[in-house]
Amino acid sequence: MKSFLRIVSTLILAGSAAAHASTSYAVTVANDKPTTIHVAGTFALVSDTIGMYVTSSPQLEDGQAGLVRNLVARDSEGALIDTEYAGKGDWRLVNAVAGQVVEIEYDIALVHGDYDWGPGIDEVAYRQDDGLFFTGFSLFVVPGYESSELVTVSFDLPEGWRASTPWLGVDAGDVGGDGDSGNSGDQTFRAAGMMDLVRNCLFLGTHLEETVSLEGFTFVLALGGEFKAQKQLFVDAMAPLLPAYVEMFGGMPNASRYLVVINPGSRSDGGAFPGSYSMLIKGEVTRESAAVWGHGIAHELAHFWNGHTIAPASGHEEEWFKEGFTDYLTIVHLARSGLDPWQVTSRKLENMARRYIVAKRLMGIEDSMRAAGADKHKKRFLVCGGGSLVAFALDVRIREATDNTAGLDDLMKAMYSEFGGVESSGARGRRYTFEDVVRLAGEVSGESQKAFFQSYVDGTEYLDVVPVFDAIGLRLTTMMDEFYLSERESATPAQKAMAVSIFGE
Ligand SMILES: [Zn+2]
């Protein structure tokens, strides 16, 4: 029965415009003040159900799927297929079967900005004066996430608009184009499978798009609003960090071509995806305000390694490592590169310690750092603040144990060497567990770090960071929620040398 169906659908397709059962989407923006966006998709079903990913929103039970309108499905002869909404972003196609090629089309109401979103709107969709931002999982209704076959995505946009995507462009149907397929109107790209399609972001509009080659990477910058004029500041912030990250991890992340979308927002926030990152920046972008926006850029760049190339086996229990270690490394590398002067770095260290004490003592979060990952947006002070404090304490512990010949850099290198390559072209590599981090931290320091992780990461004991600052010649003076970091006069040369190894001269 199944093979019969496959033969039938192959025959039908052979006679149609498509030469084979390829997956494609066509995205249409009808005018330059759109209230909806139209999407048409053609693909083979994996089951009788298709769906859109659901990002949590307190006001929208089914997340962005709740903004999908007028969804219709047709078989490959154009006959309508009845659809039933099955909840949680899923639609059932009545009497449809796996393997059957269908065409769907739908509109999305561009009202994402009217709602709150768990991870922030920078990881969902928003409108700007310049156009439209979307993550793939807020734009595409898909038959499943497993397929690694190429997906053709074309855009029909208003005059003067262009599509900035993380995917390679297709020049006049020529696969493997150089990504520069014209300025506006019709643009076509190829995503490397369903995950590459949905787990990325894109921008459509009249923004500035510029491709920059930096240290073996290609960045497609998509800048909106007043940030169009700040391109060089962003490039200058990224340039010294990339070789430093490559050296620390001991290699490149899985992708070397990334889309970077930066727009003005009502709050600063960012999200990293396997081939792109999205940032909203509140306020001006100047050298003086780099403590905020430069930190965001450095943090998202580091996620290309820690988070996307090195990825955890657990869905939420290792957020302390993904977010916390990334943020600590961000502080360290901005200091080493000179992008942050010491007075900014020391305040970031004070803030790191403050977030942890606020989470533990004022917010009264009783979860372990690992458990808090399940609610990481609400408990970010413990997950991210606490996680970065653990990274700092571990960095110092490794240096103390090795006479400052090794540090957290070496743990990250060991993680990359064993677990790097997880996301490459949809293939599943080995993902790390909590026990892997504990084991490698022990190997790098030459002594067991098990009790440390059990107490402060898997357990709920309070990590006193004052002795950690002490050990590198600094003094943290605290009173309630006030934190003051200073240089300790009695610091020994060995302690000072450790601080220099971590933060640079
Ligand atoms: Zn992050």
Side-chain angles (χ1 to χ4, degrees), residues 1 43 65 86 117 121 164 167 196 205 211 231 238 253 263 326 344-345 356 397-398 463 476 482 502:
M1 186 67 186
F43 44 74
W117 301 93
I121 201 160
S164 295
W167 313 303
D196 191 33
T211 301
K231 187 205 88 185
M238 285 165 28
N263 275 302
T326 294
V344 169
T345 304
Y356 179 67
R397 291 176 70 87
I398 296 170
L463 173 60
L476 186 72
E482 293 183 41
I502 297 173

Side-chain angles (χ1 to χ4, degrees), residues 123 270-272 299-300 303 322-324 326-327 376 384:
E123 297 188 38
H299 177 106
E300 304 308 336
H303 271 320
K322 225 169 91 182
E323 290 304 333
T326 294
D327 216 50
K376 73 163 176 172
C384 194

Side-chain angles (χ1 to χ4, degrees), residues 337-359:
S337 67
L339 288 164
D340 277 350
W342 175 248
Q343 62 265 34
V344 169
T345 304
S346 63
R347 278 186 227 161
K348 286 182 177 177
L349 295 170
E350 290 165 1
N351 289 341
M352 186 174 84
R354 183 183 299 110
R355 281 189 201 118
Y356 179 67
I357 206 167
V358 165

Side-chain angles (χ1 to χ4, degrees), residues 157-347:
L157 303 174
E159 177 101 32
W161 281 39
R162 68 183 307 161
S164 295
T165 81
W167 313 303
L168 280 177
V170 181
D171 287 315
D174 178 20
V175 182
D178 63 4
D180 185 16
S181 55
N183 289 319
S184 63
D186 199 15
Q187 284 184 268
T188 303
F189 301 86
R190 293 257 157 94
M194 282 301 183
M195 280 305 219
D196 191 33
L197 178 78
V198 298
R199 294 191 64 208
N200 269 309
C201 64
L202 53 93
F203 198 87
L204 314 172
T206 56
H207 56 289
L208 173 78
E209 183 194 284
E210 201 159 315
T211 301
V212 182
S213 295
L214 271 178
E215 309 286 346
F217 292 81
T218 301
F219 289 97
V220 178
L221 299 177
L223 308 176
E226 65 259 38
F227 299 158
K228 292 187 194 107
Q230 311 298 355
K231 187 205 88 185
Q232 201 53 46
L233 276 180
F234 295 122
V235 171
D236 290 347
M238 285 165 28
L241 294 169
L242 295 165
Y245 287 161
V246 170
E247 199 197 320
M248 174 178 65
F249 287 103
M252 293 284 283
N254 277 329
S256 59
R257 184 180 191 277
Y258 292 99
L259 172 73
V260 174
V261 180
I262 305 179
N263 275 302
S266 55
R267 71 178 179 127
S268 295
D269 205 351
F273 307 97
S276 49
Y277 77 73
S278 147
M279 269 186 73
L280 285 171
I281 302 173
K282 185 187 179 192
E284 280 188 331
V285 168
T286 60
R287 282 191 203 286
E288 296 73 51
S289 63
V292 173
W293 63 262
H295 190 93
I297 284 182
H299 177 106
E300 304 308 336
L301 283 181
H303 271 320
F304 291 153
W305 285 266
N306 187 27
H308 288 302
T309 300
I310 305 166
S314 164
H316 63 80
E317 286 175 324
E318 267 53 84
E319 292 294 325
W320 60 276
F321 187 83
K322 225 169 91 182
E323 290 304 333
F325 277 49
T326 294
D327 216 50
Y328 172 68
L329 293 168
T330 299
I331 296 173
V332 163
H333 280 276
L334 285 169
R336 284 181 194 169
S337 67
L339 288 164
D340 277 350
W342 175 248
Q343 62 265 34
V344 169
T345 304
S346 63
R347 278 186 227 161

